[in-house]
Amino acid sequence: MTTALYPGSFDPITNGHLDIIKRASSIFDKVVIGVYDIPLKSLLFTADERVDLVKKSVADFKNVEVRAYSGMTVEFARQVNAKVVVRGLRASSDFEREFEMALMNKKLAPDVELMCFMANLRYQFLSSSLLKEIIKLGGNLDDMVPTHVCAALKKKLLT
Ligand code: ADP
């Protein structure tokens, strides 16, 4: 049985993340989505809110589990018995950072493998930070996030 860990801030989860989750869940026996508890960047949603939004989004996936974590990703991967860490790569913007993190993680935990999925063409431009700008400017997020995520963004940013 092969378990994969998909770690991230998910502030909030988008259809781009969900596309990666769907593809990973069709390859691995189990996918654990690891929601960083306290990342170094400042976030809009609390860890509990981000976990709830992810849980609602993946309710239909039978082999996907959602957990918040703190500390090192590779340590959490070992804790949940994940041999593989999954990440998504959008054109140009993600590669350098992911490469750097992958090399460091490999040094820290040679037993954990990284697997990067190329972002779906439809979601190449999609980022959680861009969504926040669009909502603030009154734009439409159809096809970018699940409806409950759109509602949560509006509540947080417009009320
Ligand atoms: P982090 O703080 O770890 O970058 P994110 O929630 O921003 O957390 O992203 C988690 C993972 O999902 C990263 O590997 C990121 O590159 C990937 N990702 C983000 N947006 C998309 C997207 N639109 N399509 C595919 N992968 C994405």
Side-chain angles (χ1 to χ4, degrees), residues 6-12 14-17 19-20 36 39 41 86-90 94 97-98 101 117-120 123-128:
Y6 181 31
S9 319
F10 304 106
D11 186 48
T14 70
N15 287 351
H17 295 126
D19 182 71
I20 303 287
Y36 296 146
K41 53 189 184 186
V86 164
R87 298 284 285 174
L89 282 186
R90 286 159 294 182
D94 294 325
R97 186 162 162 264
E98 294 296 335
M101 277 197 305
F117 285 71
M118 300 304 145
N120 189 315
Y123 305 124
Q124 284 286 343
F125 62 94
L126 196 52
S127 69
S128 301

Side-chain angles (χ1 to χ4, degrees), residues 84-100:
V84 180
V85 169
V86 164
R87 298 284 285 174
L89 282 186
R90 286 159 294 182
S92 70
S93 59
D94 294 325
F95 180 78
E96 295 295 336
R97 186 162 162 264
E98 294 296 335
F99 192 46
E100 197 179 272

